[in-house]
Amino acid sequence: MLVAFEAGNFLRALVLFLLCPIIFFVSDELGLKIMVMVCFFGVKKDSFRIGTAVLPKFFLEDVGLEAFEVLQRGGNKVGVSKLPQVMIESFLKDYLEIDMVIGKELKAFGGYFLGIMEEEESHIVSPLWEEQEHGGDDDMGFDTIGISTSNKFNDHQLFSYCKEVYLVGDSDKRSWKNLPRDRYPKKLVFHDGRLALTPTPLETLAILMWLPLGIALAIFRIIVGKSLPYDVSFPLLCFSGLRLTLGGPKAQSETLPKDKPRGTLYVCNHRTLLDPLYICVALKKNLHAVTYSLSKMSEILSPIKTVRLTRNRHRDGKMMEKLLNQGDVVVCPEGTTCREPYLLRFSPLFTEISDKIIPVAINTHVGMFHGTTAGGLKCLDPLFYLMNPSPIYTVQLLEKVSGLSTCRDGNRSSFDVANYVQGEIGKALGFECTKLTRRDKYLILAGNEGIASKCTI
Ligand SMILES: O=P(O)(O)OC[C@H](O)CO
């Protein structure tokens, strides 16, 4: 269902959902063939990134601690699956450190998947047989242990080399604990895709039924947010299901004097494109939002003024100074959103612009759809976020930090101050600070460097 929805669309997911009763009654093999056909037919081969960007998160949440511990004890690891290679390879190799993955190759024509699996397994299996047949490693059979979830494991030739085969049943899996996040062999920092919940048949039914209502609700929320003043829009938006919790050591009752010569710079971590908006609602005042990439659509829909960064240090610095002379400004120095409990590197430019920096720690929780995307249509970000029945935001305003003067007195560099602000926000949220950047995220999720063009849609 994830592949049908994320590589296709709602319609493809609906077709798959309607076929569920048939898939349930036919044999496992035929059921898989039907699912693969519905999910992959007509999908562009080169741009298929679901296996690396979307599925690892869901697969990881499904790994049992017990099985993982057994796997860790092994030397060379081979993963065999009936699923298409493009779905499992990245997860097994990158996240579970499996050395060799044997799945099914998909037939393609003219750069598009045909939705049919090759009968032969992926090519990497042949060297294994050859090695065995030519007596490459006489002990292979004595050292090899197999773990299978199917009692038809003998169907696969690889298991004939195993000294022992452990069969894992559904009841075993039910009693397993989930692999805790801190045991993941590789940190899951980035993932893409719109679905925030695992689309089991029941969840899929809920999503499909919610869809028309969700779209209407999102449009209502956009109209209210854009056209009414905060005092009126806030209760209406709360009534519609949006939740905002204000917190932090100083829930900023210390409003700055009205005759202040220069505005305050609010520096927040970045969870969704609505972060600056929620800060405005929390402070009950309009701020200028400085963003790196925002779709034209999001700019049009935004109730507050947004100004784009150019990634030219000098020009961006001047522009932020100009905005601060007009009022308060909010900036997200990570330069891109992150969904997991990690903070990306804070670009230090903000520390050289203002001496009145208020770090803001932000978190959000969505139940159905993610309002961010790396490889999809960014113009749909606000719509997807606002289609959630009851998305939750928490905004914590932290202790003021001096930027400009701290850097000028020479004791600390702008990097030190940026790292300090990142650390304070990390502490407030319980998030881990990293040195990862926007470029890292886009290389993993979208296969590009995340350089925003002027006409991002
Ligand atoms: O997650 P991204 O890369 O779309 O980030 C969007 C931000 O608002 C950039 O300023």
Side-chain angles (χ1 to χ4, degrees):
M1 193 57 78
L2 275 166
V3 179
F5 182 81
E6 303 291 359
N9 46 38
F10 277 118
L11 205 63
R12 205 183 276 259
L14 178 65
V15 172
L16 186 61
F17 177 75
L18 294 175
L19 288 172
C20 274
I22 299 174
I23 294 167
F24 186 75
F25 283 111
V26 296
S27 68
D28 287 356
E29 206 181 321
L30 183 58
L32 181 62
K33 282 182 180 165
I34 296 172
M35 286 194 276
V36 168
M37 172 59 79
V38 176
C39 294
F40 284 92
F41 179 76
V43 171
K44 205 167 177 197
K45 190 176 176 186
D46 284 349
S47 54
F48 184 85
R49 303 195 66 81
I50 311 300
T52 47
V54 179
L55 297 178
K57 180 214 173 233
F58 291 91
F59 283 147
L60 271 170
E61 285 172 357
D62 214 26
V63 174
L65 178 61
E66 288 78 354
F68 176 77
E69 281 172 346
V70 173
L71 199 65
Q72 290 302 90
R73 276 186 242 141
N76 288 335
K77 296 161 199 136
V78 181
V80 183
S81 173
K82 286 180 181 164
L83 292 176
Q85 185 86 4
V86 286
M87 286 179 66
I88 52 166
E89 189 163 21
S90 168
F91 162 66
L92 292 177
K93 278 191 175 167
D94 302 339
Y95 290 91
L96 285 192
E97 297 172 337
I98 303 278
D99 303 288
M100 187 180 280
V101 177
I102 303 167
K104 296 277 188 179
E105 290 297 345
L106 287 171
K107 291 186 184 172
F109 181 76
Y112 292 85
F113 288 125
L114 295 175
I116 301 167
M117 291 185 284
E118 302 273 6
E119 287 307 315
E120 285 286 305
E121 271 153 349
S122 50
H123 61 282
I124 45 179
V125 74
S126 2
L128 253 181
W129 306 145
E130 279 162 26
E131 194 182 332
Q132 182 64 21
E133 275 162 19
H134 295 104
D137 180 358
D138 291 342
D139 288 337
M140 184 180 169
F142 294 98
D143 291 324
T144 310
I145 293 178
I147 307 170
S148 176
T149 52
S150 161
N151 50 14
K152 289 190 189 152
F153 63 86
N154 266 329
D155 288 358
H156 203 288
Q157 209 180 346
L158 197 58
F159 283 94
S160 59
Y161 296 105
C162 295
K163 179 188 162 199
E164 293 168 53
V165 175
Y166 291 95
L167 203 58
V168 177
D170 284 344
S171 58
D172 297 313
K173 284 203 258 177
R174 272 194 291 274
S175 64
W176 284 353
K177 289 189 232 39
N178 287 341
L179 178 66
R181 170 180 281 277
D182 58 1
R183 298 280 305 274
Y184 288 1
K186 177 183 161 188
K187 282 178 195 163
L188 179 83
V189 183
F190 303 122
H191 55 90
D192 208 5
R194 291 297 187 185
L195 290 182
L197 41 67
T198 311
T200 59
L202 216 59
E203 303 282 21
T204 306
L205 179 65
I207 293 170
L208 293 170
M209 283 172 62
W210 173 255
L211 210 59
L213 194 61
I215 294 172
L217 189 62
I219 294 170
F220 168 78
R221 286 165 171 172
I222 290 169
I223 294 171
V224 168
K226 186 143 174 87
S227 57
L228 299 175
Y230 291 130
D231 287 344
V232 186
S233 64
F234 187 61
L236 274 174
L237 291 173
C238 287
F239 179 72
S240 81
L242 297 187
R243 299 278 169 269
L244 169 64
T245 313
L246 273 176
K250 291 244 181 298
Q252 236 50 17
S253 46
E254 51 168 87
T255 331
L256 291 149
K258 286 218 166 78
D259 59 341
K260 60 186 185 294
R262 238 174 151 227
T264 301
L265 184 59
Y266 292 89
V267 175
C268 65
N269 62 306
H270 208 0
R271 303 300 275 177
T272 79
L273 79 172
L274 298 183
D275 299 338
L277 215 53
Y278 272 94
I279 296 177
C280 291
V281 175
L283 297 168
K284 292 206 171 71
K285 61 179 171 186
N286 272 341
L287 312 174
H288 286 137
V290 182
T291 66
Y292 175 59
S293 81
L294 205 57
S295 73
K296 198 84 212 129
M297 176 69 86
S298 304
E299 276 182 347
I300 294 167
L301 295 180
S302 172
I304 58 168
K305 191 175 168 201
T306 59
V307 182
R308 289 192 191 200
L309 289 170
T310 61
R311 288 268 153 144
N312 174 318
R313 240 183 123 66
H314 182 70
R315 223 185 300 162
D316 290 343
K318 283 265 167 277
M319 184 262 291
M320 280 166 73
E321 270 179 24
K322 198 173 141 202
L323 289 175
L324 276 170
N325 287 331
Q326 294 166 14
D328 298 330
V329 174
V330 54
V331 65
C332 310
E334 287 170 289
T336 188
T337 54
C338 181
R339 296 173 179 177
E340 294 296 317
Y342 296 97
L343 297 179
L344 310 190
R345 188 179 78 88
F346 274 34
S347 166
L349 180 63
F350 73 88
T351 65
E352 297 161 22
I353 309 296
S354 172
D355 218 13
K356 282 186 288 183
I357 296 171
I358 298 199
V360 187
I362 283 193
N363 203 359
T364 187
H365 174 78
V366 289
M368 225 177 236
F369 305 111
H370 288 295
T372 58
T373 181
L377 282 178
K378 286 188 186 287
C379 59
L380 297 180
D381 284 358
L383 192 72
F384 269 107
Y385 184 85
L386 294 170
M387 274 164 60
N388 282 296
S390 195
I392 300 168
Y393 243 90
T394 54
V395 175
Q396 298 179 52
L397 296 143
L398 308 179
E399 295 287 354
K400 193 181 117 184
V401 172
S402 297
L404 208 52
S405 57
T406 317
C407 296
R408 269 191 198 142
D409 69 15
N411 288 336
R412 294 208 284 172
S413 70
S414 56
F415 290 98
D416 294 333
V417 180
N419 290 343
Y420 174 76
V421 173
Q422 186 203 34
E424 288 303 296
I425 294 178
K427 256 190 268 167
L429 294 168
F431 286 7
E432 189 181 320
C433 296
T434 73
K435 291 200 182 314
L436 294 165
T437 61
R438 177 183 174 92
R439 185 172 174 274
D440 296 316
K441 169 177 155 177
Y442 277 81
L443 280 176
I444 295 171
L445 300 183
N448 61 52
E449 297 196 354
I451 296 167
S453 67
K454 277 190 177 155
C455 53
T456 315
I457 50 166

